[in-house]
Structures are given as C-alpha cells and as structure tokens.
Amino acid sequence: MDKKYIIAFDQGTTSTRTILFNQLGEIVAIAQKELTQYYPKSGWVEHNPIEIYEDQKKTFDEVIKKANINPREIAGIGITNQRETTVIWEKDSGKPIYNAIVWLDNRTTEICDELKNKKLEKYINETTGLVIDSYFSATKIKWILDNVAGAREQANAGKLLFGTIDSWLIYKFSKEKNHVTDHTNASRTLCYDIKNLKWDSKILKALDIPKTMMPKVQLSSSYFGTVDYNGIETPIFGVAGDQQASLFGHGGFETGMAKNTYGTGCFMLLNTGDKFIKSKNGLLTTLTASTENTPINYALEGSIFIGGVSIQWLRDKLKIITSAKETEQICNAIPALTDLYFVPAFAGLGAPHWHTKAKGSIYGLTLDIGREQIIKATVEALAYQTKDVLNAMVSDSNQPLKELKVDGGASANNYLMQFQSDILKITVERPKMLEITALGVAFLAGLKAGIWTKKDISKIKKIDKKFMPLMEVHESDKKYEGWQKAVQRTKQDF
Ligand code: ADP
C-alpha cells in the first residue's frame, strides 16, 4: 500500500492537535482539544501530562476517522511541541510524579539566583547559548526533585526520567517506551552543551540532577520509536520544538534564513549555519532542526514580549476596536502618521534593549490625534520592534538579511506586513499554509520516511504574498529614527 500521508502531533501551550498532511503538504484533516491550564499560585502554570497524552491520542484517532484513510498509508509521525515545559515520570510505571511545569512558570527564580551566585552565568551562556532564566527546563527539574516527597531518592536510584513534552509523548506512544528527544528540544533545557552535543555534567551537578534522568538526544529527522495504532505500526520520524519546526516549515534550513512569528508575542529565528554565535545584544543561541544532511546548525533567537497582545489591549482595555482584524482597514483608511510612536513596553523592554523596568508610552500626541492614529501606531510598533531584533541579529551574525518569512495570527494584517517590508527595506514573504509549525515537523518526518527531499520541500511551500519595500528610503529611515528616539525616552525606571 502507498505510504502517502504524514501525521503531525502539534502539542501547544493552549491546545493539543493532530493534523494529517498529504504528499503535497496540504491538510487533509485536523482535530484539536483545548488544554486545561492550572494556576496553583501566582506565577505558577501547570498542565496535566496525562491529559496531554490522552488528548493527543483522541485527536489522532479523530483525524484518522475524519479523513477516512487506512492508517497503513501513513508514512510517519512528526511531533512538535511547546518548548521547555518539564515532565518527570517514574521509569517503571510511567506515572508522572508531578504536573508538567509550563515554560511560562516562574517559580524557580530563586534557583536561578543560586546559579548566578555560584558565578555560573558566563559558563552557562557559553555552553548552552541561553541565559539563566526560570523559563528553561533545568531549574524546573530541580524544583520537582526538591519539592516532591521521595523524588530525590528515586532520582538518585535511577528510577525517574525527565522529558520535555516531545520525550513524554514518545515514551507514552512508542511500543519500545523510548526515552529520547531531539537537538532542538535539548537546546532549550539550560543543561545541554550545544557545542559538544552532550548533557553538561557541570550544570547538572550544580543543580543536583542525575544524568540518568536525561533522554538520549537524536537528529530531529530520525527514528524515535514505533506507534501501535490498533495493531498497525507507524514510526515517529520527526521531532522539533515549535519555533524551530516553524523555521524548518518556512524552508529555513539554509544559512541566512530568518522567520518571525507574529502571535501574542513574536518569536524570531535566524539560521546562522554551523557557527555558534554568541550574541552581544542579549539574543539566545539555539540549535535548529537537525537532519542527516545538515546535522548541526545554529540559530539566533529573539523574542518580543508584547506582539499581538497590544492589539488585544486596544480591544479589551481601551475598547477602541472590537476585533484585531479591523485594525488593517483603519490603518489603510488614514494618512501616514507623523512623529507618533507607541512603545508598548507593558512588560519592560526585551531584546535588544533589556530595560525591565520601562513602562509603555506614547510619544508625539497633538490635538489632531484620535482613535485611528493610536491604533495605527500600535500596529506599527510590531514592525519597529521586529526591526530592533533583526538589527541585533544582523549585527551579531555579520550577515545582511535579504528576506523575512512570516507567520502567526497578526501576519494576516496586510497593512502591517507592507509596513514591515518598508521599515526593514527587504522582502517579507507570507506562506499560504498557516499551519507552518505542524508542516515543519511533517517535513522532518517525511524526509526520514523518504517521501520528500529538501528540494521537494521548496516546491511544496506555497507563497501567499510577497511584500516588497515601497516607501522612499529616506522616509523609512526618518520613521525608524523617530522610533529609536521614542525607545530611548522609554528607557526610564518608574
Ligand atoms: P498565539 O499563537 O500566540 O496564541 P496567534 O498566532 O493565534 O497567537 O495570533 C494571535 C494574536 O495576533 C493576537 O494577539 C491578536 O491580537 C493578533 N492578531 C490577530 N489577527 C490580527 C490582525 N489582523 N491584525 C493585527 N493583529 C492581529
């Protein structure tokens, strides 16, 4: 029987989904379940790992029934997941000893301070490419071992396993009960040496984490285990954390390719090839999805805390719009702004400014400014912030950027995308396929399954629209200078 489909498990922070792709990279069927969020204390966020597994199983089943295909036609499964979220389970029973601690959870700031007091900042940055932060997995592992009764003894006796969500799902789904992960997920744990590709003994020791808990790390496009679906066996052939899967889905496996996802926040990655570049601008260095032909590539990663959420703020707090979508028409309906800038530093200023105490500000108010202008300035701020991070990437990597690939909810806004191209003075390319993250991991699985080559991937990718710079260069420069002045003024402690 022809193997002509690929399944993608897309396990995100708010939902668990399964998507069935055909050989043309088109979606045949999709099923989704919302994921329950637990907030036991302020700043704490947890998920139930059993719910995640059960939902993944249910959506898998639903998709096969919806598509009405023979499961024998599935060539392979890919898994893409929320990164950094931490699960610890018993090796023998497979039972989690605590809920999954979600990446957003900041309960481990004290453990992070201890690492800083041990003067490990430079070492950890140079080894893992990351900065010490509660966001990453390692301090969450320590928290569970320190706080769950008996956990430390069990861990020392080799009876506990750690995994990010991909590892957890592979362990639960594979008939071999494999304990494995891929390079992209390992590179977000804060204890993986991304130069020598091994778990780092010094960091594990500083956190008192036994190495026996850590999964084996493999190529993102490789064999991870076999799933038994009603007696029919299907291999897991691809695994990648969500942002790296999205980069791969955009075809970003070549040096110099960059993508930006415009969601609640924005996540930007630039593939810098086989060079580990240490950022001078507070960006992270991380591993891209690895394949047999291109085993190890690095990326610079920068995130913008306040992306599309500032549009939600216009809707929910200022109540000057009723939907995010209407911002496009409003932006197009009024003339270009002059000297009006909204710096949405609601959560301080992130990369490359790093001024955590800054607060949001609007500059350039005059009596003719009204609702529409404030809306337009809010939309434009997404483009300016993106340029700030991209400039940092270009300066760190010493390579000019020719094109930016985009996805995410706010990339649907044509005004924003045109303005982005004008301000960056490069092409902005938006794909037709909105499920680029799931498609990315489907590509990784399809490569290993032998149904696609990297060349096919470039052909399968369909472009929705390319935005070319239309604004006069001096106008674009003037606007960006104005933004930079506004950011300088925002760098104040309140
Ligand atoms: P996430 O995956 O982070 O939940 P999405 O990729 O679904 O986010 O994007 C949702 C975000 O995009 C919201 O913050 C919303 O305000 C913003 N957004 C959605 N559509 C538009 C639009 N047409 N113009 C501007 N912002 C938009």
Side-chain angles (χ1 to χ4, degrees):
M1 182 166 292
D2 246 11
K3 300 260 185 212
K4 53 186 177 194
Y5 298 106
I6 294 282
I7 282 278
F9 289 170
D10 181 1
Q11 206 302 303
T13 313
T14 54
S15 72
T16 303
R17 308 185 312 153
T18 298
I19 302 179
L20 181 76
F21 289 98
N22 65 18
Q23 263 168 317
L24 299 172
E26 296 162 340
I27 294 177
V28 180
I30 186 163
Q32 169 164 353
K33 294 224 173 295
E34 290 310 310
L35 182 59
T36 315
Q37 311 288 316
Y38 298 92
Y39 304 105
K41 284 187 190 175
S42 159
W44 293 28
V45 192
E46 298 179 359
H47 292 154
N48 177 354
I50 301 293
E51 181 184 349
I52 290 179
Y53 168 60
E54 293 293 339
D55 284 356
Q56 200 68 72
K57 237 177 23 178
K58 282 182 211 152
T59 56
F60 183 27
D61 198 44
E62 216 178 302
V63 151
I64 292 186
K65 291 194 173 124
K66 255 192 201 170
N68 197 18
I69 59 154
N70 185 331
R72 287 184 209 282
E73 295 174 298
I74 300 170
I77 297 172
I79 303 177
T80 182
N81 55 291
Q82 49 169 321
R83 303 178 303 172
E84 298 108 11
T85 297
T86 298
V87 190
I88 296 182
W89 65 94
E90 289 174 352
K91 194 176 187 173
D92 291 338
S93 70
K95 274 216 298 255
I97 62 163
Y98 192 76
N99 265 344
I101 302 187
V102 178
W103 56 277
L104 283 164
D105 186 298
N106 66 9
R107 77 184 66 183
T108 61
T109 40
E110 269 177 32
I111 303 178
C112 291
D113 289 343
E114 284 165 28
L115 285 177
K116 289 177 192 162
N117 291 340
K118 287 182 183 166
K119 303 259 175 295
L120 281 168
E121 262 176 302
K122 188 161 177 278
Y123 179 81
I124 288 182
N125 181 240
E126 283 172 1
T127 307
T128 68
L130 307 175
V131 292
I132 297 176
D133 194 282
S134 57
Y135 198 87
F136 307 108
S137 319
T139 57
K140 300 182 197 291
I141 304 176
K142 177 170 167 60
W143 189 93
I144 295 176
L145 296 185
D146 287 346
N147 289 278
V148 174
R152 175 80 52 200
E153 293 71 33
Q154 270 186 296
N156 289 340
K159 289 184 174 163
L160 294 183
L161 302 178
F162 151 78
T164 37
I165 296 294
D166 54 309
S167 293
W168 165 245
L169 286 176
I170 296 165
Y171 179 86
K172 292 296 283 181
F173 271 100
S174 66
K175 61 172 196 183
E176 307 98 325
K177 299 232 159 296
N178 284 336
H179 183 219
V180 288
T181 189
D182 87 303
H183 286 123
T184 66
N185 279 293
S187 75
R188 313 298 299 180
T189 55
L190 203 73
C191 48
Y192 191 66
D193 175 344
I194 63 170
K195 287 177 189 156
N196 298 302
L197 306 180
K198 59 182 179 58
W199 297 111
D200 185 82
S201 305
K202 186 167 165 179
I203 303 172
L204 289 176
K205 197 154 168 250
L207 289 165
D208 210 0
I209 300 171
K211 210 183 255 182
T212 48
M213 291 182 73
M214 308 309 283
K216 180 175 154 252
V217 185
Q218 304 187 176
L219 292 177
S220 311
S221 180
S222 64
Y223 173 76
F224 288 88
T226 291
V227 179
D228 183 331
Y229 179 83
N230 298 335
I232 298 161
E233 298 199 336
T234 311
I236 302 171
F237 272 154
V239 170
D242 52 10
Q243 299 308 321
Q244 281 95 332
S246 147
L247 182 68
F248 201 84
H250 277 292
F253 30 76
E254 278 156 31
T255 312
M257 305 271 273
K259 72 98 194 175
N260 190 20
T261 301
Y262 298 76
T264 313
C266 298
F267 284 95
M268 218 178 311
L269 263 78
L270 167 72
N271 186 327
T272 59
D274 56 9
K275 280 197 300 277
F276 175 111
I277 294 175
K278 191 168 144 10
S279 174
K280 295 188 190 76
N281 296 292
L283 303 172
L284 305 175
T285 311
T286 198
L287 294 176
T288 64
S290 49
T291 65
E292 278 161 19
N293 296 335
T294 321
I296 291 304
N297 266 356
Y298 296 91
L300 283 167
E301 176 169 328
S303 41
I304 295 167
F305 305 143
I306 306 294
V309 70
S310 59
I311 310 285
Q312 286 164 240
W313 181 76
L314 296 179
R315 187 192 61 196
D316 303 337
K317 295 288 180 192
L318 291 193
K319 301 190 196 303
I320 56 174
I321 53 170
T322 51
S323 73
K325 211 170 159 218
E326 73 189 82
T327 57
E328 178 178 335
Q329 186 266 325
I330 294 167
C331 289
N332 280 322
I334 60 167
L337 299 176
T338 31
D339 304 331
L340 182 71
Y341 296 97
F342 178 12
V343 185
F346 291 103
L349 283 166
H353 310 293
W354 297 113
H355 201 99
T356 47
K357 288 186 180 156
K359 298 258 166 73
S361 325
I362 300 178
Y363 296 94
L365 290 174
T366 48
L367 282 174
D368 56 325
I369 302 296
R371 160 183 173 266
E372 289 97 339
Q373 287 75 19
I374 300 287
I375 293 167
K376 192 161 177 159
T378 312
V379 170
E380 291 182 353
L382 267 94
Y384 290 127
Q385 293 186 91
T386 300
K387 181 163 170 111
D388 287 347
V389 178
L390 267 187
N391 278 356
M393 287 181 169
V394 168
S395 131
D396 281 336
S397 67
N398 244 331
Q399 54 193 32
L401 197 72
K402 286 193 229 68
E403 192 176 75
L404 179 67
K405 318 264 187 193
V406 299
D407 62 287
S411 74
N413 187 319
N414 292 304
Y415 175 80
L416 170 61
M417 292 301 105
Q418 182 57 51
F419 189 75
Q420 184 71 83
S421 169
D422 288 338
I423 289 299
L424 292 176
K425 296 183 270 182
I426 58 170
T427 308
V428 168
E429 185 188 294
R430 185 174 64 197
K432 259 211 170 86
M433 166 61 69
L434 294 173
E435 300 293 350
I436 203 83
T437 304
L439 182 63
V441 84
F443 281 157
L444 286 165
L447 276 180
K448 179 68 188 166
I451 69 165
W452 290 315
T453 62
K454 276 192 183 162
K455 271 203 190 116
D456 296 328
I457 290 177
S458 311
K459 279 187 228 143
I460 289 169
K461 271 189 339 115
K462 291 197 183 64
I463 296 164
D464 173 41
K465 200 162 173 186
K466 274 192 187 230
F467 297 85
M468 313 284 190
L470 296 175
M471 195 181 278
E472 296 284 344
V473 170
H474 76 270
E475 182 64 19
S476 168
D477 290 343
K478 191 166 156 271
K479 280 184 179 294
Y480 188 58
E481 274 165 30
W483 163 262
Q484 286 173 306
K485 273 191 212 156
V487 169
Q488 281 312 321
R489 290 181 194 161
T490 308
K491 287 186 181 175
Q492 310 272 346
D493 291 0
F494 277 87

